[in-house]
Amino acid sequence: MFELMGRTALVTGAGQNVGAGIARALAAQGAAVAVNDFVPERAQAQAEQIVAAGGRAVAVPFDVTDYDAVVAGVAAAVAELGPIDILVNNAGNGGAHGMVPTQFRDSDPADWRGPIDVNLYGVMNCSHVVINPMRERGWGRIITIASGAGLIGLRLGVSPYAGGKGGAIGFMRHLAIENARDGVTANTLAIGLMELKDRTHTEALARQIPVGRTGRPSDIATAVVWLAAPESEWVTGQTIQINGGSTTS
Ligand SMILES: NC(=O)c1ccc[n+]([C@@H]2O[C@H](COP(=O)([O-])OP(=O)(O)OC[C@H]3O[C@@H](n4cnc5c(N)ncnc54)[C@H](O)[C@@H]3O)[C@@H](O)[C@H]2O)c1
């Protein structure tokens, strides 16, 4: 079940944390994985880890916000591993490069574009480059990692990020319908607060999660494997929340 041998996946922002977990899980099911990150050393290190574990992977560093770079990066991945069957849009701007943890009324317009660029344009760029080849082959899976912040209102002061993620959620629904007759599914995971090695501020928020803990990359990767597999062909246009039962914040 969920056999991915013979399939090729591209996972964006896979140099660490959630994306790295997704890349490893897809490789463990047999997929050849193009590991993207705009930090080349991260992409390289994750690709090497997969290969060391017996999988097939190459690093394809590029910035998902740059359409021409996406075209070149996908071409490099295809040359090494074959056509992309599975695209996971995981690269996200969650803080360091533009999410502004401030109330919108106090925010600087110059800080809005970063989160929209990565979380929405990044998804559109990558999807645009792979969609026609997927349609021509009659098979494809596009999975976008969004956030609960794109679905519900939070007090955290992340409205530009929510704009990007919410935009991606709407975009993916339409992508799904446009391609539903051509063997290509498009689904979104709206994920909750993750427990990540380099985050220390999450304890109080974690206590509010019904299941009683923050998420692990494997919690998300398991769902990606299902959505990437042939068995999920009747699932498209969905936004699935994976968040330990959170309904509000
Ligand atoms: N961490 C959380 O609590 C949380 C919650 C909800 C949603 N998410 C979403 O889940 C996804 C993964 O989150 P994470 O915490 O693992 O993120 P992270 O910031 O730890 O890792 C993201 C990776 O993406 C890369 N990246 C960023 N911008 C890029 C670009 N323009 N092009 C290519 N690579 C780029 C970064 O270099 C980094 O290695 C993101 O889309 C994030 O918005 C995370």
mmCIF file of all heavy atoms in Angstrom, residues 84-129:
data_model
loop_
_atom_site.group_PDB
_atom_site.id
_atom_site.type_symbol
_atom_site.label_atom_id
_atom_site.label_comp_id
_atom_site.label_asym_id
_atom_site.label_seq_id
_atom_site.Cartn_x
_atom_site.Cartn_y
_atom_site.Cartn_z
ATOM 1 N N ILE A 84 8.389 14.886 -13.101
ATOM 2 C CA ILE A 84 7.862 15.040 -11.736
ATOM 3 C C ILE A 84 6.429 14.497 -11.686
ATOM 4 O O ILE A 84 5.534 14.999 -12.370
ATOM 5 C CB ILE A 84 7.860 16.531 -11.304
ATOM 6 C CG1 ILE A 84 9.244 17.174 -11.490
ATOM 7 C CG2 ILE A 84 7.355 16.670 -9.859
ATOM 8 C CD1 ILE A 84 10.357 16.580 -10.670
ATOM 9 N N ASP A 85 6.218 13.481 -10.864
ATOM 10 C CA ASP A 85 4.878 12.917 -10.649
ATOM 11 C C ASP A 85 4.198 13.548 -9.444
ATOM 12 O O ASP A 85 2.972 13.585 -9.370
ATOM 13 C CB ASP A 85 4.975 11.409 -10.380
ATOM 14 C CG ASP A 85 5.655 10.659 -11.500
ATOM 15 O OD1 ASP A 85 5.130 10.676 -12.620
ATOM 16 O OD2 ASP A 85 6.735 10.057 -11.254
ATOM 17 N N ILE A 86 5.013 13.959 -8.470
ATOM 18 C CA ILE A 86 4.479 14.428 -7.183
ATOM 19 C C ILE A 86 5.184 15.738 -6.844
ATOM 20 O O ILE A 86 6.416 15.783 -6.757
ATOM 21 C CB ILE A 86 4.793 13.396 -6.070
ATOM 22 C CG1 ILE A 86 4.174 12.032 -6.400
ATOM 23 C CG2 ILE A 86 4.322 13.920 -4.704
ATOM 24 C CD1 ILE A 86 4.856 10.856 -5.671
ATOM 25 N N LEU A 87 4.402 16.798 -6.697
ATOM 26 C CA LEU A 87 4.968 18.078 -6.248
ATOM 27 C C LEU A 87 4.443 18.355 -4.850
ATOM 28 O O LEU A 87 3.219 18.365 -4.643
ATOM 29 C CB LEU A 87 4.534 19.214 -7.181
ATOM 30 C CG LEU A 87 4.775 20.639 -6.645
ATOM 31 C CD1 LEU A 87 6.276 20.927 -6.508
ATOM 32 C CD2 LEU A 87 4.105 21.673 -7.566
ATOM 33 N N VAL A 88 5.347 18.589 -3.914
ATOM 34 C CA VAL A 88 4.929 19.007 -2.576
ATOM 35 C C VAL A 88 5.407 20.442 -2.373
ATOM 36 O O VAL A 88 6.608 20.704 -2.261
ATOM 37 C CB VAL A 88 5.491 18.085 -1.470
ATOM 38 C CG1 VAL A 88 4.932 18.518 -0.118
ATOM 39 C CG2 VAL A 88 5.148 16.634 -1.745
ATOM 40 N N ASN A 89 4.456 21.360 -2.352
ATOM 41 C CA ASN A 89 4.762 22.775 -2.108
ATOM 42 C C ASN A 89 4.838 22.986 -0.599
ATOM 43 O O ASN A 89 3.833 23.281 0.052
ATOM 44 C CB ASN A 89 3.647 23.655 -2.681
ATOM 45 C CG ASN A 89 3.617 23.663 -4.187
ATOM 46 O OD1 ASN A 89 4.621 23.940 -4.838
ATOM 47 N ND2 ASN A 89 2.465 23.339 -4.759
ATOM 48 N N ASN A 90 6.033 22.799 -0.079
ATOM 49 C CA ASN A 90 6.212 22.939 1.374
ATOM 50 C C ASN A 90 6.906 24.236 1.752
ATOM 51 O O ASN A 90 6.702 24.744 2.858
ATOM 52 C CB ASN A 90 7.019 21.738 1.893
ATOM 53 C CG ASN A 90 7.532 21.978 3.302
ATOM 54 O OD1 ASN A 90 6.810 21.815 4.283
ATOM 55 N ND2 ASN A 90 8.801 22.402 3.427
ATOM 56 N N ALA A 91 7.735 24.778 0.851
ATOM 57 C CA ALA A 91 8.500 25.987 1.194
ATOM 58 C C ALA A 91 7.532 27.051 1.700
ATOM 59 O O ALA A 91 6.528 27.344 1.062
ATOM 60 C CB ALA A 91 9.265 26.501 -0.022
ATOM 61 N N GLY A 92 7.839 27.584 2.851
ATOM 62 C CA GLY A 92 6.947 28.591 3.416
ATOM 63 C C GLY A 92 7.769 29.659 4.097
ATOM 64 O O GLY A 92 8.908 29.443 4.505
ATOM 65 N N ASN A 93 7.154 30.795 4.173
ATOM 66 C CA ASN A 93 7.803 31.896 4.856
ATOM 67 C C ASN A 93 7.106 32.041 6.194
ATOM 68 O O ASN A 93 6.027 32.592 6.295
ATOM 69 C CB ASN A 93 7.645 33.161 4.012
ATOM 70 C CG ASN A 93 8.372 34.320 4.604
ATOM 71 O OD1 ASN A 93 8.428 34.466 5.815
ATOM 72 N ND2 ASN A 93 8.921 35.154 3.756
ATOM 73 N N GLY A 94 7.739 31.471 7.211
ATOM 74 C CA GLY A 94 7.087 31.441 8.505
ATOM 75 C C GLY A 94 7.744 32.314 9.548
ATOM 76 O O GLY A 94 7.560 32.105 10.738
ATOM 77 N N GLY A 95 8.525 33.278 9.171
ATOM 78 C CA GLY A 95 9.087 34.161 10.187
ATOM 79 C C GLY A 95 10.351 34.866 9.767
ATOM 80 O O GLY A 95 10.341 36.084 9.595
ATOM 81 N N ALA A 96 11.396 34.093 9.547
ATOM 82 C CA ALA A 96 12.705 34.706 9.349
ATOM 83 C C ALA A 96 12.739 35.627 8.133
ATOM 84 O O ALA A 96 13.501 36.569 8.096
ATOM 85 C CB ALA A 96 13.770 33.631 9.209
ATOM 86 N N HIS A 97 11.914 35.343 7.127
ATOM 87 C CA HIS A 97 12.029 36.127 5.895
ATOM 88 C C HIS A 97 10.762 36.899 5.573
ATOM 89 O O HIS A 97 10.434 37.100 4.430
ATOM 90 C CB HIS A 97 12.414 35.210 4.738
ATOM 91 C CG HIS A 97 13.644 34.422 5.023
ATOM 92 N ND1 HIS A 97 14.898 34.960 5.007
ATOM 93 C CD2 HIS A 97 13.799 33.138 5.398
ATOM 94 C CE1 HIS A 97 15.778 34.040 5.335
ATOM 95 N NE2 HIS A 97 15.139 32.926 5.578
ATOM 96 N N GLY A 98 9.992 37.285 6.562
ATOM 97 C CA GLY A 98 8.903 38.170 6.189
ATOM 98 C C GLY A 98 7.622 38.064 6.970
ATOM 99 O O GLY A 98 6.824 38.986 6.930
ATOM 100 N N MET A 99 7.348 36.933 7.649
ATOM 101 C CA MET A 99 6.137 36.923 8.439
ATOM 102 C C MET A 99 6.357 37.926 9.564
ATOM 103 O O MET A 99 7.345 37.870 10.273
ATOM 104 C CB MET A 99 5.847 35.542 9.017
ATOM 105 C CG MET A 99 4.504 35.490 9.742
ATOM 106 S SD MET A 99 4.124 33.864 10.359
ATOM 107 C CE MET A 99 5.089 33.857 11.846
ATOM 108 N N VAL A 100 5.452 38.849 9.702
ATOM 109 C CA VAL A 100 5.676 39.936 10.645
ATOM 110 C C VAL A 100 4.766 39.736 11.853
ATOM 111 O O VAL A 100 3.568 39.912 11.774
ATOM 112 C CB VAL A 100 5.350 41.290 9.977
ATOM 113 C CG1 VAL A 100 5.712 42.441 10.893
ATOM 114 C CG2 VAL A 100 6.085 41.402 8.656
ATOM 115 N N PRO A 101 5.328 39.306 12.978
ATOM 116 C CA PRO A 101 4.479 39.025 14.132
ATOM 117 C C PRO A 101 4.002 40.311 14.792
ATOM 118 O O PRO A 101 4.407 40.670 15.890
ATOM 119 C CB PRO A 101 5.391 38.208 15.058
ATOM 120 C CG PRO A 101 6.759 38.651 14.694
ATOM 121 C CD PRO A 101 6.735 39.075 13.257
ATOM 122 N N THR A 102 3.147 40.995 14.050
ATOM 123 C CA THR A 102 2.634 42.259 14.558
ATOM 124 C C THR A 102 1.199 42.434 14.056
ATOM 125 O O THR A 102 0.826 41.848 13.043
ATOM 126 C CB THR A 102 3.542 43.417 14.082
ATOM 127 O OG1 THR A 102 3.212 44.593 14.792
ATOM 128 C CG2 THR A 102 3.400 43.676 12.596
ATOM 129 N N GLN A 103 0.415 43.196 14.762
ATOM 130 C CA GLN A 103 -0.952 43.432 14.326
ATOM 131 C C GLN A 103 -0.926 44.180 12.989
ATOM 132 O O GLN A 103 -0.078 45.060 12.775
ATOM 133 C CB GLN A 103 -1.699 44.257 15.381
ATOM 134 C CG GLN A 103 -1.727 43.604 16.765
ATOM 135 C CD GLN A 103 -2.530 42.299 16.793
ATOM 136 O OE1 GLN A 103 -3.711 42.316 16.542
ATOM 137 N NE2 GLN A 103 -1.862 41.187 17.080
ATOM 138 N N PHE A 104 -1.864 43.865 12.132
ATOM 139 C CA PHE A 104 -1.867 44.439 10.781
ATOM 140 C C PHE A 104 -1.861 45.963 10.819
ATOM 141 O O PHE A 104 -1.172 46.617 10.040
ATOM 142 C CB PHE A 104 -3.083 43.928 10.002
ATOM 143 C CG PHE A 104 -3.131 44.441 8.599
ATOM 144 C CD1 PHE A 104 -2.205 44.013 7.657
ATOM 145 C CD2 PHE A 104 -4.080 45.373 8.209
ATOM 146 C CE1 PHE A 104 -2.224 44.492 6.357
ATOM 147 C CE2 PHE A 104 -4.106 45.865 6.916
ATOM 148 C CZ PHE A 104 -3.184 45.422 5.991
ATOM 149 N N ARG A 105 -2.605 46.518 11.775
ATOM 150 C CA ARG A 105 -2.714 47.991 11.818
ATOM 151 C C ARG A 105 -1.361 48.658 12.086
ATOM 152 O O ARG A 105 -1.171 49.822 11.740
ATOM 153 C CB ARG A 105 -3.716 48.413 12.898
ATOM 154 C CG ARG A 105 -3.365 47.922 14.303
ATOM 155 C CD ARG A 105 -4.444 48.272 15.315
ATOM 156 N NE ARG A 105 -4.171 47.678 16.615
ATOM 157 C CZ ARG A 105 -4.563 46.468 16.988
ATOM 158 N NH1 ARG A 105 -5.250 45.705 16.155
ATOM 159 N NH2 ARG A 105 -4.267 46.002 18.192
ATOM 160 N N ASP A 106 -0.443 47.915 12.689
ATOM 161 C CA ASP A 106 0.880 48.470 12.982
ATOM 162 C C ASP A 106 1.943 48.025 11.980
ATOM 163 O O ASP A 106 3.114 48.342 12.150
ATOM 164 C CB ASP A 106 1.332 48.021 14.385
ATOM 165 C CG ASP A 106 0.350 48.456 15.450
ATOM 166 O OD1 ASP A 106 -0.186 49.580 15.332
ATOM 167 O OD2 ASP A 106 0.107 47.684 16.398
ATOM 168 N N SER A 107 1.543 47.233 10.996
ATOM 169 C CA SER A 107 2.543 46.623 10.114
ATOM 170 C C SER A 107 3.012 47.618 9.047
ATOM 171 O O SER A 107 2.322 48.590 8.726
ATOM 172 C CB SER A 107 1.970 45.375 9.447
ATOM 173 O OG SER A 107 0.925 45.722 8.556
ATOM 174 N N ASP A 108 4.191 47.323 8.500
ATOM 175 C CA ASP A 108 4.780 48.128 7.436
ATOM 176 C C ASP A 108 4.437 47.463 6.101
ATOM 177 O O ASP A 108 4.754 46.285 5.907
ATOM 178 C CB ASP A 108 6.308 48.150 7.653
ATOM 179 C CG ASP A 108 7.028 48.992 6.616
ATOM 180 O OD1 ASP A 108 6.445 49.258 5.532
ATOM 181 O OD2 ASP A 108 8.176 49.363 6.891
ATOM 182 N N PRO A 109 3.814 48.177 5.180
ATOM 183 C CA PRO A 109 3.467 47.563 3.894
ATOM 184 C C PRO A 109 4.649 46.867 3.223
ATOM 185 O O PRO A 109 4.456 45.887 2.494
ATOM 186 C CB PRO A 109 2.962 48.748 3.063
ATOM 187 C CG PRO A 109 2.407 49.688 4.079
ATOM 188 C CD PRO A 109 3.301 49.552 5.302
ATOM 189 N N ALA A 110 5.856 47.335 3.495
ATOM 190 C CA ALA A 110 7.031 46.710 2.876
ATOM 191 C C ALA A 110 7.196 45.263 3.344
ATOM 192 O O ALA A 110 7.891 44.478 2.699
ATOM 193 C CB ALA A 110 8.284 47.510 3.223
ATOM 194 N N ASP A 111 6.577 44.889 4.466
ATOM 195 C CA ASP A 111 6.730 43.532 4.998
ATOM 196 C C ASP A 111 5.638 42.565 4.546
ATOM 197 O O ASP A 111 5.631 41.410 4.952
ATOM 198 C CB ASP A 111 6.749 43.576 6.537
ATOM 199 C CG ASP A 111 7.989 44.253 7.060
ATOM 200 O OD1 ASP A 111 9.050 44.148 6.402
ATOM 201 O OD2 ASP A 111 7.907 44.915 8.116
ATOM 202 N N TRP A 112 4.697 43.030 3.746
ATOM 203 C CA TRP A 112 3.600 42.142 3.334
ATOM 204 C C TRP A 112 3.998 41.197 2.210
ATOM 205 O O TRP A 112 3.513 40.084 2.116
ATOM 206 C CB TRP A 112 2.384 42.969 2.845
ATOM 207 C CG TRP A 112 1.826 43.908 3.856
ATOM 208 C CD1 TRP A 112 2.040 43.888 5.207
ATOM 209 C CD2 TRP A 112 0.973 45.025 3.598
ATOM 210 N NE1 TRP A 112 1.368 44.923 5.796
ATOM 211 C CE2 TRP A 112 0.699 45.638 4.845
ATOM 212 C CE3 TRP A 112 0.409 45.569 2.446
ATOM 213 C CZ2 TRP A 112 -0.108 46.770 4.957
ATOM 214 C CZ3 TRP A 112 -0.403 46.679 2.554
ATOM 215 C CH2 TRP A 112 -0.652 47.278 3.804
ATOM 216 N N ARG A 113 4.857 41.702 1.310
ATOM 217 C CA ARG A 113 5.109 40.978 0.067
ATOM 218 C C ARG A 113 5.840 39.646 0.281
ATOM 219 O O ARG A 113 5.561 38.659 -0.407
ATOM 220 C CB ARG A 113 5.909 41.856 -0.899
ATOM 221 C CG ARG A 113 5.792 41.436 -2.334
ATOM 222 C CD ARG A 113 6.387 42.479 -3.260
ATOM 223 N NE ARG A 113 5.680 43.745 -3.238
ATOM 224 C CZ ARG A 113 4.587 44.006 -3.954
ATOM 225 N NH1 ARG A 113 4.086 43.093 -4.756
ATOM 226 N NH2 ARG A 113 3.988 45.179 -3.888
ATOM 227 N N GLY A 114 6.760 39.611 1.248
ATOM 228 C CA GLY A 114 7.559 38.397 1.471
ATOM 229 C C GLY A 114 6.700 37.165 1.693
ATOM 230 O O GLY A 114 6.833 36.163 0.973
ATOM 231 N N PRO A 115 5.808 37.198 2.675
ATOM 232 C CA PRO A 115 4.987 36.015 2.929
ATOM 233 C C PRO A 115 4.051 35.653 1.779
ATOM 234 O O PRO A 115 3.800 34.477 1.534
ATOM 235 C CB PRO A 115 4.155 36.399 4.164
ATOM 236 C CG PRO A 115 4.780 37.601 4.734
ATOM 237 C CD PRO A 115 5.620 38.245 3.676
ATOM 238 N N ILE A 116 3.560 36.677 1.061
ATOM 239 C CA ILE A 116 2.679 36.369 -0.072
ATOM 240 C C ILE A 116 3.500 35.729 -1.191
ATOM 241 O O ILE A 116 3.070 34.777 -1.837
ATOM 242 C CB ILE A 116 1.985 37.656 -0.612
ATOM 243 C CG1 ILE A 116 1.276 38.420 0.514
ATOM 244 C CG2 ILE A 116 1.040 37.319 -1.770
ATOM 245 C CD1 ILE A 116 -0.034 37.891 0.967
ATOM 246 N N ASP A 117 4.694 36.241 -1.405
ATOM 247 C CA ASP A 117 5.568 35.727 -2.461
ATOM 248 C C ASP A 117 5.836 34.240 -2.290
ATOM 249 O O ASP A 117 5.686 33.467 -3.223
ATOM 250 C CB ASP A 117 6.918 36.463 -2.415
ATOM 251 C CG ASP A 117 7.041 37.491 -3.522
ATOM 252 O OD1 ASP A 117 6.093 37.621 -4.314
ATOM 253 O OD2 ASP A 117 8.083 38.157 -3.571
ATOM 254 N N VAL A 118 6.268 33.843 -1.104
ATOM 255 C CA VAL A 118 6.638 32.433 -0.909
ATOM 256 C C VAL A 118 5.392 31.562 -0.794
ATOM 257 O O VAL A 118 5.271 30.541 -1.471
ATOM 258 C CB VAL A 118 7.506 32.242 0.347
ATOM 259 C CG1 VAL A 118 7.966 30.784 0.451
ATOM 260 C CG2 VAL A 118 8.691 33.161 0.324
ATOM 261 N N ASN A 119 4.465 31.967 0.050
ATOM 262 C CA ASN A 119 3.354 31.076 0.395
ATOM 263 C C ASN A 119 2.288 31.002 -0.688
ATOM 264 O O ASN A 119 1.543 30.030 -0.735
ATOM 265 C CB ASN A 119 2.723 31.527 1.718
ATOM 266 C CG ASN A 119 3.698 31.382 2.878
ATOM 267 O OD1 ASN A 119 4.258 30.321 3.084
ATOM 268 N ND2 ASN A 119 3.929 32.457 3.612
ATOM 269 N N LEU A 120 2.209 32.006 -1.548
ATOM 270 C CA LEU A 120 1.234 31.948 -2.655
ATOM 271 C C LEU A 120 1.934 31.858 -4.015
ATOM 272 O O LEU A 120 1.760 30.891 -4.741
ATOM 273 C CB LEU A 120 0.297 33.162 -2.611
ATOM 274 C CG LEU A 120 -0.731 33.239 -3.755
ATOM 275 C CD1 LEU A 120 -1.550 31.960 -3.886
ATOM 276 C CD2 LEU A 120 -1.643 34.444 -3.560
ATOM 277 N N TYR A 121 2.768 32.832 -4.351
ATOM 278 C CA TYR A 121 3.429 32.788 -5.657
ATOM 279 C C TYR A 121 4.331 31.569 -5.789
ATOM 280 O O TYR A 121 4.438 30.972 -6.866
ATOM 281 C CB TYR A 121 4.228 34.070 -5.924
ATOM 282 C CG TYR A 121 3.403 35.123 -6.597
ATOM 283 C CD1 TYR A 121 2.737 36.089 -5.856
ATOM 284 C CD2 TYR A 121 3.258 35.139 -7.985
ATOM 285 C CE1 TYR A 121 1.957 37.044 -6.469
ATOM 286 C CE2 TYR A 121 2.471 36.092 -8.611
ATOM 287 C CZ TYR A 121 1.827 37.039 -7.850
ATOM 288 O OH TYR A 121 1.047 37.987 -8.452
ATOM 289 N N GLY A 122 4.995 31.171 -4.709
ATOM 290 C CA GLY A 122 5.850 29.981 -4.769
ATOM 291 C C GLY A 122 5.042 28.758 -5.176
ATOM 292 O O GLY A 122 5.473 27.952 -6.012
ATOM 293 N N VAL A 123 3.851 28.628 -4.592
ATOM 294 C CA VAL A 123 2.964 27.494 -4.904
ATOM 295 C C VAL A 123 2.508 27.579 -6.365
ATOM 296 O O VAL A 123 2.503 26.585 -7.096
ATOM 297 C CB VAL A 123 1.748 27.510 -3.944
ATOM 298 C CG1 VAL A 123 0.701 26.490 -4.363
ATOM 299 C CG2 VAL A 123 2.207 27.272 -2.504
ATOM 300 N N MET A 124 2.148 28.783 -6.798
ATOM 301 C CA MET A 124 1.668 28.955 -8.183
ATOM 302 C C MET A 124 2.802 28.700 -9.176
ATOM 303 O O MET A 124 2.602 28.016 -10.194
ATOM 304 C CB MET A 124 1.098 30.372 -8.352
ATOM 305 C CG MET A 124 -0.177 30.572 -7.550
ATOM 306 S SD MET A 124 -0.753 32.286 -7.495
ATOM 307 C CE MET A 124 -1.313 32.506 -9.184
ATOM 308 N N ASN A 125 3.995 29.231 -8.900
ATOM 309 C CA ASN A 125 5.130 29.030 -9.817
ATOM 310 C C ASN A 125 5.411 27.546 -10.025
ATOM 311 O O ASN A 125 5.510 27.062 -11.153
ATOM 312 C CB ASN A 125 6.392 29.696 -9.252
ATOM 313 C CG ASN A 125 6.351 31.219 -9.336
ATOM 314 O OD1 ASN A 125 5.598 31.780 -10.119
ATOM 315 N ND2 ASN A 125 7.166 31.876 -8.519
ATOM 316 N N CYS A 126 5.563 26.823 -8.913
ATOM 317 C CA CYS A 126 5.945 25.402 -9.019
ATOM 318 C C CYS A 126 4.825 24.596 -9.673
ATOM 319 O O CYS A 126 5.085 23.726 -10.515
ATOM 320 C CB CYS A 126 6.291 24.838 -7.641
ATOM 321 S SG CYS A 126 7.762 25.604 -6.929
ATOM 322 N N SER A 127 3.583 24.901 -9.297
ATOM 323 C CA SER A 127 2.454 24.155 -9.868
ATOM 324 C C SER A 127 2.360 24.398 -11.376
ATOM 325 O O SER A 127 2.098 23.477 -12.157
ATOM 326 C CB SER A 127 1.151 24.576 -9.179
ATOM 327 O OG SER A 127 1.223 24.337 -7.788
ATOM 328 N N HIS A 128 2.594 25.641 -11.787
ATOM 329 C CA HIS A 128 2.494 25.988 -13.208
ATOM 330 C C HIS A 128 3.526 25.232 -14.036
ATOM 331 O O HIS A 128 3.248 24.779 -15.150
ATOM 332 C CB HIS A 128 2.685 27.506 -13.365
ATOM 333 C CG HIS A 128 2.302 28.024 -14.714
ATOM 334 N ND1 HIS A 128 3.224 28.328 -15.691
ATOM 335 C CD2 HIS A 128 1.090 28.291 -15.259
ATOM 336 C CE1 HIS A 128 2.597 28.763 -16.770
ATOM 337 N NE2 HIS A 128 1.301 28.756 -16.542
ATOM 338 N N VAL A 129 4.718 25.082 -13.478
ATOM 339 C CA VAL A 129 5.795 24.438 -14.245
ATOM 340 C C VAL A 129 5.555 22.930 -14.391
ATOM 341 O O VAL A 129 5.927 22.339 -15.408
ATOM 342 C CB VAL A 129 7.172 24.738 -13.599
ATOM 343 C CG1 VAL A 129 8.284 23.937 -14.265
ATOM 344 C CG2 VAL A 129 7.476 26.237 -13.695
#
